[in-house]
Amino acid sequence: MNKITIAIDGFSSTGKSTVAKQLAKHLGYVYVDTGAMYRAVTFYAMENALINDNRFNVKGLVSQLPNIEISFKFSEVAGYAEVYLNGVNVEKKIRTLEVSGFVSKVAAISEVRQKLVDQQQEMGKSKGVVMDGRDIGTVVFPKADLKLFMIASAETRAKRRYDELTNRGDDIKYEDVLKNVQERDYLDSNREDSPLVKAKDAIEIDNSNMTPTEQFDKILSLVNMTL
Ligand code: C5P
């Protein structure tokens, strides 16, 4: 069957990765979580003392980019490809609120974006891919066959992220998660390089009041119309 490229963009915690994983599984496609790649670079910067609450050594990070290798490996247990930083699985470590607090600053650096966008284009060049992020339909695959743009209220999104983090045992406050979601919305939408905007030909999906099943059914019908 004809393989297509599906680009899913939108604000933080809009359920992009949930539906992207479901679609990839259903269609037998590759799923690429591009947010995980920006998070892995951020984690590298934190581990190597290039970023903390008081300083951000942008030059240092840019000069170390050739030493940062990001890859994905399918996990039978998880049911999707997990992210590796220089050969080490960092899937869990990149999801902390601390990484979330720095990632949008790292993602605003053009050199970081160029490196990751090149890799993303390489990963998706044979089609049969579902990629989620902020600039997939605008920059990475402007000719994607199907582009979705996910939205939901900041409160709905913060509640979802809060539940996700507390369910895995993180000790966090809802207010901090909400603040982080709002801050990232602002930084991601207002950066100079590849800001988060809806591509002209993207279909907007507001899932504030949809269950994951309703959302999946709606999006699958759009996919079937595109195939
Ligand atoms: O998708 P997730 O929330 O994990 O993404 C983390 C951050 O990575 C975003 O807030 C954004 O700053 C950055 N990002 C990006 N471009 C992408 C994917 C993520 O700038 N394609």
Side-chain angles (χ1 to χ4, degrees):
M1 204 202 282
N2 176 31
K3 285 195 167 183
I4 62 168
T5 302
I6 304 172
I8 306 183
D9 289 304
F11 294 97
S12 306
S13 307
T14 38
K16 301 184 295 293
S17 69
T18 303
V19 76
K21 282 175 197 158
Q22 288 171 321
L23 279 181
K25 195 168 175 202
H26 185 85
L27 298 165
Y29 280 17
V30 171
Y31 162 57
V32 182
D33 173 357
T34 65
M37 300 171 78
Y38 289 93
R39 287 174 178 274
V41 173
T42 306
F43 183 70
Y44 176 95
M46 288 163 61
E47 288 282 283
N48 289 277
L50 297 165
I51 192 166
N52 60 38
D53 286 333
N54 306 317
R55 72 182 206 126
F56 182 8
N57 182 351
V58 175
K59 268 197 184 152
L61 177 57
V62 169
S63 74
Q64 290 196 35
L65 282 175
N67 306 333
I68 302 178
E69 194 237 339
I70 292 167
S71 54
F72 288 91
K73 213 194 290 172
F74 189 81
S75 155
E76 293 292 344
V77 179
Y80 56 88
E82 294 187 324
V83 67
Y84 285 69
L85 170 64
N86 292 335
V88 178
N89 186 326
V90 290
E91 184 66 32
K92 189 149 189 263
K93 290 182 177 154
I94 58 163
R95 309 280 169 200
T96 62
L97 198 50
E98 206 187 352
V99 172
S100 299
F102 295 125
V103 64
S104 292
K105 295 184 188 95
V106 171
I109 303 170
S110 291
E111 289 87 344
V112 171
R113 302 205 69 80
Q114 194 55 58
K115 177 185 167 89
L116 299 187
V117 168
D118 285 351
Q119 190 179 344
Q120 290 153 12
Q121 288 174 333
E122 186 61 32
M123 287 191 281
K125 71 172 188 228
S126 313
K127 296 209 166 193
V129 68
V130 188
M131 202 172 276
D132 79 3
R134 303 292 186 289
D135 59 343
I136 312 306
T138 50
V139 176
V140 182
F141 292 117
K143 293 193 179 142
D145 304 280
L146 177 64
K147 298 182 187 179
L148 303 172
F149 193 81
M150 315 277 288
I151 59 166
S153 75
E155 288 73 17
T156 304
R157 294 184 282 127
K159 175 78 173 61
R160 285 183 194 151
R161 184 54 65 108
Y162 173 79
D163 288 346
E164 200 180 302
L165 292 173
T166 48
N167 279 341
R168 68 171 213 179
D170 288 14
D171 181 18
I172 44 153
K173 289 203 208 81
Y174 167 80
E175 290 70 31
D176 291 339
V177 179
L178 178 63
K179 193 166 154 247
N180 173 257
V181 161
Q182 290 168 329
E183 264 170 21
R184 280 200 288 143
D185 286 355
Y186 180 81
L187 292 172
D188 292 344
S189 307
N190 290 283
R191 67 180 173 224
E192 252 172 60
D193 190 345
S194 318
L196 169 62
V197 283
K198 179 176 161 237
K200 281 199 293 295
D201 48 350
I203 300 168
E204 190 169 284
I205 311 268
D206 182 343
N207 62 21
S208 304
N209 297 309
M210 281 186 203
T211 65
T213 311
E214 285 166 348
Q215 168 175 269
F216 179 66
D217 291 346
K218 181 175 171 68
I219 293 177
L220 189 58
S221 69
L222 294 171
V223 171
N224 286 329
M225 284 193 278
T226 313
L227 281 172

